[in-house]
Amino acid sequence: MAKKKIVFLTGAGMSVESGFKTFRGQDGLWEEFPVEQVASHEGWLADPKLVNRFYNGLRKKLFQAEPNEGHRIITEMEKEYDVTVVTQNVDNLHEKAGSKTVIHLHGELTKVCSSRDQFDPRYVKELTPDNCEVAEDERAEDGSLLRPFIVFFGESVPMIGAAAESVAEADIFVIIGTSLNVYPAAGLVGYTKPGIPIYLIDPEDVPTGRIPNLTHIRKGASDGLRELVETLRNK
């Protein structure tokens, strides 16, 4: 019998237990730098050296971070389910935990790319823990400045179509640690099949509108996923 398909949409709250700072909220990264300075196309054009220094530092912190229990539970669920992770996070903690199918909506911090065409795969380069910094004026193979492989605010989200297709096939949809304020990711819930169970794992109140069949598990990622696993086993 085919496995049920479960799709996870994960946000910043997924990585909090790994010690990786969230981009929003208290003590978020944007308190150190204005968002428009380090995560917008205008900021990149104004001072690419500053932007690259910011992401060099963030990358070092990421390579020191480890997946938390929540990441590992999602990987374990692949034994019983056909699992796809759609993440708003730019970290690689789902992959480090062993998740096989991960769709990154907002790019990947471990990669750099051409600033002329960031989604041309010929110029996307994976960095390693011992070579994780972009030097000032370092160039991609097309001659343009290397830039972070990040979808800056205001830029298009090319992976949203693939994410919507996965969500449309889901038998169970689980939202973890996201405020549902950032579009187009927040609109993915609208692609679910009618009647499927939807779970929201977040200790905070989240504006969900009128999402049908929604169960809110008011816990952090790891505790909430443990409860989810038990709930699904008892169904």
Side-chain angles (χ1 to χ4, degrees):
M1 192 172 74
K3 293 179 178 178
K4 280 189 173 183
K5 183 173 179 65
I6 183 166
V7 176
F8 292 91
L9 172 62
T10 66
M14 185 77 226
S15 298
V16 167
E17 294 167 45
S18 294
F20 198 62
K21 273 187 175 183
T22 62
F23 279 74
R24 289 178 174 78
Q26 192 172 9
D27 197 30
L29 289 162
W30 302 142
E31 291 184 1
E32 298 171 31
F33 290 93
V35 60
E36 62 274 6
Q37 199 171 11
V38 293
S40 71
H41 189 68
E42 293 74 19
W44 165 259
L45 292 176
D47 196 343
K49 291 179 182 178
L50 171 68
V51 173
N52 269 329
R53 282 200 303 272
F54 174 80
Y55 287 96
N56 282 344
L58 191 55
R59 212 173 283 120
K60 285 180 184 176
K61 293 175 184 174
L62 173 58
F63 279 124
Q64 294 169 357
E66 293 297 330
N68 59 57
E69 186 182 357
H71 293 106
R72 293 190 291 271
I73 290 172
I74 289 175
T75 302
E76 279 290 304
M77 292 179 78
E78 292 185 8
K79 293 175 182 176
E80 298 179 50
Y81 297 92
D82 174 7
V83 175
T84 295
V85 177
V86 177
T87 187
Q88 296 171 263
N89 299 336
V90 297
D91 63 54
N92 64 346
L93 296 174
H94 283 295
E95 288 91 341
K96 284 177 86 170
S99 286
K100 294 186 180 70
T101 306
V102 183
I103 298 172
H104 283 271
L105 293 179
H106 297 155
E108 298 176 64
L109 182 57
T110 59
K111 296 179 179 179
V112 288
C113 60
S114 158
S115 55
R116 186 174 297 141
D117 182 1
Q118 75 248 47
F119 298 106
D120 188 327
R122 293 176 297 173
Y123 309 124
V124 176
K125 175 183 173 185
E126 178 94 37
L127 300 179
T128 60
D130 55 358
N131 180 27
C132 65
E133 292 194 44
V134 176
E136 287 191 3
D137 299 320
E138 191 171 347
R139 303 273 163 173
E141 288 185 20
D142 65 353
S144 69
L145 282 174
L146 272 179
R147 61 161 269 182
F149 188 60
I150 300 292
V151 176
F152 290 146
F153 285 94
E155 294 182 333
S156 63
V157 181
M159 295 306 293
I160 195 68
E165 288 177 15
S166 286
V167 172
E169 296 169 354
D171 300 304
I172 303 166
F173 186 48
V174 183
I175 304 161
I176 306 174
T178 174
S179 63
L180 292 178
N181 281 328
V182 179
Y183 284 83
L188 286 172
V189 69
Y191 288 88
T192 54
K193 290 184 288 193
I196 72 162
I198 298 171
Y199 296 90
L200 170 65
I201 297 174
D202 198 296
E204 306 295 332
D205 288 330
V206 176
T208 56
R210 295 183 180 177
I211 299 174
N213 307 312
L214 177 75
T215 301
H216 188 173
I217 299 173
R218 295 177 182 273
K219 294 181 178 179
S222 295
D223 288 343
L225 277 159
R226 278 196 296 269
E227 182 171 323
L228 174 68
V229 169
E230 286 302 310
T231 299
L232 295 178
R233 280 181 183 153
N234 293 329
K235 286 227 167 187

